[in-house]
Amino acid sequence: MSADLSKTAVGPVEGVSLYDVDNPAPLIDPPRKRTKRSPKSARGNFELAAWLFMRLSGVVLVVLVIGHLLIQLVLDGGVSKIGFAFVAGRWASPFWQVWDLLMLWLAMLHGANGLRTVINDYAERPSTRLWLKGLLYTATVFTILLGTLVIFTFDPNIR
Amino acid sequence: MPAGTLYRGREGMWSWVAHRVTGVLIFFFLFVHVLDTALVRVSPEAYDEVVATYKTPIVALLEYGLVAAILFHALNGLRVIAVDFWAKGPRYQKQMLWAVMSIWIVLMAGAVYPVLGHAARELFGS
């Protein structure tokens, strides 16, 4: 291997440069720069907000849900104590109402966003994605509204 | 098929799969759970009747499975947060998964009696 340093691996550049100091080459935007021509879905920071929401709601849900499991399934006889009277006793306190309300909203939004990701990953046809997400969002809104209504309108003397 | 990499077929991939599967299962349960709780607005009898099915031995076993899914999703979720926000998280992701699994096994062992005890008493007498 005799290396001739006078020869480089790069061949001569063909032609003459069109640009010089007085006439610089046009600047090319970085690939992901947001411009007026970017698709609507890429204009905002929704995916970043969703990513952050999953982590923040996740931490809060660890506390809320594990507390909920302890109360409902472990302490004081576990599941066998649960009944209308037990629910009435707990929702008599605003503390547990807020606890359950927060848990409902955070868990539903966390789960809905998770399922949105799963649909985006596996449903490839645009129409399939549209239908599955439509179903998901409908079920999510319905469940959150129903749960919220139940917590706020609960009546211990219903009968 | 490409050969195994640092990710494919290893701890990172399988914890991701398990996180996804448990997440979907929990979401479906949550949907049903809000519906069954909504029965308190119908009548105490309707609610108590449905909750009675939650107390049968077979559903108690499903509840144990639900606890397993939730505890894994919660612990592994904290690991994901550590991987994302802790500077050394990616380097220790594997060790953190073993920590997650160890805590999970301890908690699942602790949940046997509280969650399945009443079902055992019903099946085998107290």
Side-chain angles (χ1 to χ4, degrees), chain B residues 11-12 76 79 82-83 86 88-103:
Chain B
E11 293 85 347
N76 190 56
R79 168 177 162 269
V83 168
W86 178 37
K88 290 179 183 165
R91 195 192 301 170
Y92 293 115
Q93 62 92 8
K94 210 185 285 183
Q95 287 88 333
M96 286 196 290
L97 182 63
W98 300 132
V100 162
M101 293 316 292
S102 309
I103 301 170

Side-chain angles (χ1 to χ4, degrees), chain A residues 54 110-120 136, chain B residues 23-24 27-28:
Chain A
M54 291 308 265
H110 187 103
N113 189 239
L115 253 80
R116 182 183 70 89
T117 310
V118 171
I119 293 170
N120 280 339
L136 171 67
Chain B
V24 171
F27 186 74
F28 286 141

Side-chain angles (χ1 to χ4, degrees), chain A residues 28-133:
Chain A
I28 298 171
D29 283 335
R32 288 188 180 80
K33 186 181 175 167
R34 281 155 196 177
T35 64
K36 278 174 198 157
R37 279 183 297 161
S38 319
K40 235 181 189 168
S41 59
R43 300 259 182 93
N45 268 332
F46 177 77
E47 291 298 339
L48 173 68
W51 178 87
L52 197 61
F53 171 77
M54 291 308 265
R55 275 131 191 93
L56 294 176
S57 62
V59 173
V60 180
L61 280 167
V62 168
V63 177
L64 292 178
V65 172
I66 291 182
H68 183 72
L69 286 180
L70 272 176
I71 294 164
Q72 307 292 325
L73 291 180
V74 176
L75 302 175
D76 213 7
V79 77
S80 48
K81 66 177 178 285
I82 297 177
F84 185 85
F86 182 75
V87 176
R90 289 190 64 233
W91 279 349
S93 146
F95 178 82
W96 294 115
Q97 283 186 314
V98 171
W99 181 295
D100 286 354
L101 192 70
L102 200 60
M103 191 163 60
L104 170 76
W105 278 73
L106 289 180
M108 281 307 295
L109 293 175
H110 187 103
N113 189 239
L115 253 80
R116 182 183 70 89
T117 310
V118 171
I119 293 170
N120 280 339
D121 278 357
Y122 300 120
E124 290 179 4
R125 285 172 52 207
S127 62
T128 315
R129 296 158 75 91
L130 189 76
W131 279 107
L132 286 177
K133 285 191 208 171

Side-chain angles (χ1 to χ4, degrees), chain B residues 4-81:
Chain B
T5 62
L6 278 177
Y7 181 75
R8 185 189 279 264
R10 303 288 294 261
E11 293 85 347
M13 185 191 105
W14 290 115
S15 62
W16 173 85
V17 170
H19 201 75
R20 185 157 271 205
V21 171
T22 52
V24 171
L25 289 174
I26 295 165
F27 186 74
F28 286 141
F29 167 75
L30 179 59
F31 180 65
V32 175
H33 185 47
V34 173
L35 292 183
D36 70 56
T37 305
L39 287 173
V40 295
R41 286 301 292 134
V42 177
S43 74
E45 293 77 20
Y47 180 75
D48 287 344
E49 201 176 312
V50 168
V51 168
T53 61
Y54 278 100
K55 301 174 186 179
T56 59
I58 292 168
V59 181
L61 209 61
L62 293 176
E63 276 154 22
Y64 192 68
L66 178 72
V67 170
I70 289 175
L71 287 178
F72 175 80
H73 200 87
L75 294 168
N76 190 56
L78 294 176
R79 168 177 162 269
V80 169
I81 293 172

